[in-house]
Every structure is written in C-alpha cells, then in structure tokens.
Amino acid sequence: MRTHVISEMHAIAKLYDREMGKAAQKTGLSRLEADILTFLKNNPGMDIASDIVEYRMLSKANVSQGVESLIQKGYLSRDTDPVDRRRVHLRIAQKADQCLPCLIHAQESFAQALAMDFTPEEREKFAQMVAKIA
C-alpha cells in the first residue's frame, strides 16, 4: 500500500468539507448544523444524538450545541422515547425542507465528482474495498 493513502484521504475529506461548507453557508447554517441535518436525513432510524457522535465522529459537546441551535431555529424537534424515557429522538421539522435539498445536492455532487472517472465496474469494486476496509 502506498504511503500517501492518508494524505490522499485527507485531500478527499477537505474537498467534502469545502463543498458542504459552501452549501451550509448558502442555507444560513453552520457546517455542524448541516452535518447533523444531513446525517439525520440520510440515516433514518439513527435519530439519537449519540448516533451522530459515533458515526460522524463529532464531539458530544459539539453535537449537543448543534442540536440545540437547530431546535431553536425550528429545523429539529425532540421526542422522548416512550419505552426508555432517557432516550431522545431527533426529528427533522418541516422547516428543514427549505435547506435539505441544497445540502443533499452538495453531497451527491461530491460523490459524483469522486466517481466521475470510474467505470461502473470500478465503482462496484471500490464499494467492495471500502466495505472490506470498514
């Protein structure tokens, strides 16, 4: 394996950050708020703050702050789990429908740009390799 894999992965992450940062700015959200909303939109059933912390690798304090901000802005609401009252589910509010298309489009454009020069077979092989690495 080449030794620059980490720096290449870092470059890909920077590209994603730049694209999502632009989309977040267009919608008037912080990058963190955009990440939280897109995570919830893209991962139905993973609607607890600890899911965001674990899978997006964000700090608990940052996620808590971002969730609070989104609730104050009317983009999210909270629902206490009826079975386990310690669990709080996050729900995307209708107001988020204004900004989610822009954010999701940025994610899709990023994914298309990454795979632009791949054949369908290479895309499939890449997906298999990423799954194997994970």
Side-chain angles (χ1 to χ4, degrees):
M1 185 180 288
R2 296 181 8 205
T3 58
H4 349 341
V5 170
I6 291 174
S7 64
E8 290 163 347
M9 289 172 61
H10 182 69
I12 293 168
K14 283 177 66 171
L15 173 63
Y16 180 80
D17 288 342
R18 186 173 63 238
E19 294 305 312
M20 283 303 291
K22 284 189 235 175
Q25 189 174 28
K26 278 184 194 176
T27 61
L29 297 173
S30 72
R31 177 59 206 288
L32 174 64
E33 292 167 336
D35 284 343
I36 291 169
L37 279 178
T38 55
F39 178 87
L40 292 170
K41 179 68 175 175
N42 293 330
N43 299 283
M46 299 178 93
D47 60 358
I48 297 171
S50 61
D51 293 331
I52 301 166
V53 169
E54 181 178 350
Y55 291 100
R56 287 291 289 130
M57 295 182 285
L58 300 168
S59 79
K60 185 177 180 179
N62 285 348
V63 170
S64 179
Q65 179 183 0
V67 165
E68 262 319 301
S69 178
L70 287 165
I71 289 170
Q72 294 301 314
K73 291 178 179 181
Y75 292 108
L76 285 183
S77 64
R78 289 186 184 106
D79 291 329
T80 303
D81 188 301
V83 176
D84 183 349
R85 301 195 54 76
R86 295 171 297 176
R87 293 173 55 97
V88 177
H89 298 277
L90 302 171
R91 302 281 181 243
I92 297 174
Q94 188 173 1
K95 184 177 180 180
D97 291 347
Q98 302 167 16
C99 62
L100 274 167
C102 180
L103 300 174
I104 299 300
H105 177 72
Q107 288 182 324
E108 290 168 350
S109 294
F110 167 77
Q112 288 173 356
L114 282 184
M116 179 173 42
D117 294 330
F118 289 178
T119 66
E121 295 79 22
E122 289 171 328
R123 286 185 197 126
E124 180 61 32
K125 187 67 173 173
F126 177 72
Q128 291 171 358
M129 288 188 295
V130 168
K132 191 172 187 177
I133 290 168

